[in-house]
Amino acid sequence: MPFDDKLVADTITSLASLLGLMMVISVVGGRDPGDPLSRRFLFGLRVLAVLLACRILDWITGLGVFRLATIVAAGLLPLAALLLTEGLLRRHAPLVLKSFAAGGAVLFLLLAMIPERFVEPWRMALLLLFQFGGFLAIGWLVVMRDRASLSSAENRTVERMALSLLLIIPFMITDYRPGLVDMPVRLGGIAILFLCWLTIGLGRAGLGHRDTIAAFAVIALSSVFAGLALGGIDHIGWRGSVQAVVIVLSATLLAVIYNDSVSLSAEKRRESLLKHMAEGDLTDSARFLRGLQNHILVEGALILTTGELGDFDLKVLAAALNQAPVRSMADVHPDSPLDQDTREQLTWLFEKYEATHVLLATSDPLTLVLLKMSALAASAGVEMELRAVQRMAMLISQRERAA
C-alpha cells in the first residue's frame, strides 16, 4: 500500500493513541486488577488497543486478517462502553440497549468476513451509525443517572468519562472514509488520547474538571500554533497544516500522559511520612519516634528529652511549640510575629543542633524531635506530613498517660 500524506498522519496519530492506551492499561491494571469495575475498564481499553494495532497493521501490510480484526473490534466498542457504564453507575442498562450493543457486535463479526468489494462503503456507514447511536445512548444513561445513589467520587469518575464522549462522538466521524467524509487526518486518535489523559487524572483527586479542560485547551491551542507555524514555514497548504496540528497534538498528549503516569508510579513508590504513620510501631511514643529516625525523608532525626534541654528556657520552648507544634527556620525570621525571647530560643535550638525543623513530640515530659531537611525537600506536602506525624506522636503520648 503506498504511503501518502493521509496515511502517514493517520499512522502517527493512531500509533500515539496505541502507546497512550498501553500506558493507561499498565496504570489501571496495577491499581486493583481484581476489582470488577477495573476488569470492565481494562476490557474496553484492550478492545481499543486491538482496534488501533490491527488498523495500523492493516494500513502497513494490507493483509485482510487485520482488516477483519479491526471491524470486529470496532463492533465491540459500544458493548465494552456499555459494560463500563453499567459498572460506573452500578445499574443495569435497559434490555433494549443491551440487545442493541450485543446484537451489533455479532452483526459486525459476521459482516467483517464478507469481502470488501461486496459491502463497502455501506458497511462503514452502518458501523458509523451503530457506534454513533451506541455512544449517544450511553451519554443519555450518564446524563439521566441517579446522582444521589452515587458517591461524589463515583460521580466525578462518571463525569470524566462523559467529558471524553464530547470528543469521541464528533471525532469518530472523521475515522470513516473513504466515501463518507474527506478529512486530511483521522481525529479519533485525539479523542482516545484525551480519554487516556482523563483516566490517568482519576488518580489525582485534586484535579478538577475545569483544570482538565483548561489544560487541554492550552495544549490544543499550543499545538494549533505549532502546526500552523510549520505549515507557514514549509508552505504545505491547509491540509498539511491540519495534519501537522494533529500530529503535534498527538505527540504532546502522549508526552503528558507519559509524564502523568510516571508521576503516579513515583507517588506510589514514594516513601512518605504517612507510610510511617500507617506501618510504624504505635506501641509507645518512644518506639514510634525511633522508627521516625530511620525514615528516608528525615533520616537521622534527633530526639531530645527534658534532661537534654537544660541549656534552654523550657517554658518559652513549650509555649512556642504548644502554640504551633511544628516550627521551622522560617519562624525565626526577623519579620516573624514571635516575641524576641521565643525567637532567640528557637534560633539557638536550630543553630546548636543544625536543624531546620522541630516537632513537639510530648508535652509532659517535654520531648522534641529535631530534623534537618533542605529547603528543596521541605515541600508543602512534606510540611503537612510532618504535622500529621507530630499529631500522631502526641496522641500516642496522651494514650500512654491515660493508661
Side-chain angles (χ1 to χ4, degrees), residues 78-79 81-82 97 100-101 128-141 165 169 172:
L79 179 60
L82 182 61
L97 184 52
F100 173 77
L128 172 61
L129 291 174
F130 171 62
Q131 288 190 347
F132 194 78
F135 285 132
L136 278 180
I138 290 169
W140 176 80
L141 285 180
L165 283 177
I169 290 178
M172 72 180 184

Side-chain angles (χ1 to χ4, degrees), residues 249-266:
L249 181 55
S250 300
T252 305
L253 284 172
L254 180 62
V256 171
I257 292 167
Y258 174 76
N259 182 68
D260 286 356
S261 64
V262 169
S263 297
L264 282 177
S265 299

Side-chain angles (χ1 to χ4, degrees), residues 4 6 55 79-80 94 96 104 130 133 135 140 163 168 200 251 265 275-276 288 351 368 387 399:
D4 58 10
K6 288 183 180 180
R55 187 162 70 174
L79 179 60
V96 63
F130 171 62
F135 285 132
W140 176 80
L163 276 177
I168 289 175
I200 293 288
S265 299
K275 184 177 181 180
H276 174 65
F288 178 73
E351 289 179 352
L368 307 182
R387 287 193 284 271
R399 184 188 65 186

